[in-house]
Amino acid sequence: MDTESLRWFQLVADGYTVTEVSDVFGVSQSGVSRALARLEDEVGTPLLHRQGRVLRMTYAGSAFKRHVDALVNNLDDGLAAVGEIVDPESGVVTLAYPLSLGSWLVPGLVGAFREQHPRVRVVIERTAVGEDGRISTQLATRRADLELTAARVAGQGVVWQHVLDEPFVLAVSTDHPLAGRSEVALAEVAGEPFVLRAPPSGMRQQTLDLCRAAGFIPAVAMEAEDLPTIRGFVAAGLGVSVVPAQGLSVPATFARTRLLPLTDVGAHREVGLAWVDGRPLLPSAEAFRRFVLASGRRRAG
């Protein structure tokens, strides 16, 4: 059972005509038809039947195709892996990350990495908002090689290494009484309404923990799913919020809000890199993993 016949069967089953397959692969139509007939002989039952001018899958063909897809995809992955071993500078890295790291950290890391490895393609996958402690679906299902996280994660076979600490800052409107300060303590806004991330959210929980440590439970005026919306509510004077600095040197004015450093102990979040142990990374992904961890050490130094 040769792989070309399987690939041709895939295409015909997906709706391509024999003529189109023969054009794509540069073979005769009769050659494609004979290959499909041999495949059916080897399987022992018809896989395709003619319906008008096109071929449709039989029930047996539908069952067979699911396994053909998996087999051919695994074969292509294997060929790609060998290609990377032969030329690790031409591979693909898939990186998962949360939205809050996408506007500053991810572009910088990818850009700097591509300067050193210009032929490696980095594919980025945004992760869904969720609770701390778990890797993303992308990493768990192998859709991603690596994951940047905004908190520590754990799990069977999961390896997580610290990259940097991102400061939390207080976001206030530009006309807020504290807007002119160089730094602030959370206790100073204990009586004010807060704008928080909607649950479930690790950032929300960290904000609540910081407020509790400062001696109060915040009055939640508004909730939002993302940082731009939170900053919009703050800019409109609907409350204050604790947000990550996102690489900005504070105090600073950003997106019509004033961002002030917090003096509270623990006012930061840990950003790290996660991968699954026992799942060998291809050379290009391993190069990116080493690059990200080294960038974290340089920042710490």
Side-chain angles (χ1 to χ4, degrees), residues 31-275:
V32 174
S33 296
R34 285 195 300 271
L36 294 175
R38 285 195 304 271
L39 183 61
E40 289 182 325
D41 287 342
E42 291 185 67
V43 174
T45 189
L47 301 173
L48 301 161
H49 67 92
R50 185 164 294 280
Q51 190 176 75
R53 304 180 67 178
V54 298
L55 292 171
R56 302 293 187 193
M57 285 185 290
T58 64
Y59 182 78
S62 297
F64 184 59
K65 186 175 183 294
R66 292 194 296 271
H67 298 281
V68 171
D69 288 342
L71 185 151
V72 173
N73 289 341
N74 284 334
L75 174 63
D76 288 340
D77 286 346
L79 293 173
V82 172
E84 283 209 26
I85 291 171
V86 175
D87 183 8
E89 289 299 320
S90 62
V92 178
V93 183
T94 303
L95 174 70
Y97 68 96
L99 179 62
S100 62
L101 299 180
S103 64
W104 66 285
L105 182 61
V106 173
L109 286 173
V110 172
F113 177 76
R114 288 292 305 277
E115 287 181 4
Q116 297 182 17
H117 306 272
R119 293 193 295 123
V120 173
R121 186 162 65 94
V122 181
V123 177
I124 55 176
E125 291 257 358
R126 203 177 83 190
T127 60
V129 174
E131 298 182 27
D132 291 350
R134 296 179 297 193
I135 58 174
S136 66
T137 302
Q138 289 95 322
L139 186 59
T141 59
R142 301 184 63 174
R143 205 164 83 200
D145 301 305
L146 302 160
E147 180 184 358
L148 279 169
T149 72
R152 288 178 178 265
V153 293
Q156 185 173 3
V158 175
V159 181
W160 181 91
Q161 285 196 24
H162 179 271
V163 175
L164 59 89
D165 287 330
E166 182 182 18
F168 279 133
V169 296
L170 183 72
V172 300
S173 62
T174 52
D175 59 356
H176 191 279
L178 296 174
R181 293 275 295 276
S182 59
E183 61 182 23
V184 65
L186 267 179
E188 297 179 71
V189 291
E192 301 201 25
F194 271 69
V195 181
L196 296 184
R197 283 286 287 267
S201 165
M203 190 183 304
R204 176 193 180 95
Q205 189 57 53
Q206 285 177 286
T207 299
L208 293 175
D209 291 344
L210 284 169
C211 291
R212 193 172 294 112
F216 69 99
I217 297 175
V220 181
M222 304 291 296
E223 295 179 339
E225 297 285 348
D226 57 78
L227 288 174
T229 304
I230 287 175
R231 288 193 294 264
F233 285 143
V234 170
L238 298 175
V240 301
S241 187
V242 174
V243 298
Q246 296 191 285
L248 294 172
S249 178
V250 291
T253 300
F254 177 69
R256 299 180 295 119
T257 61
R258 188 67 177 164
L259 304 181
L260 305 172
L262 285 168
T263 59
D264 300 73
V265 175
H268 66 268
R269 64 177 182 176
E270 292 185 296
V271 175
L273 187 68
W275 62 94

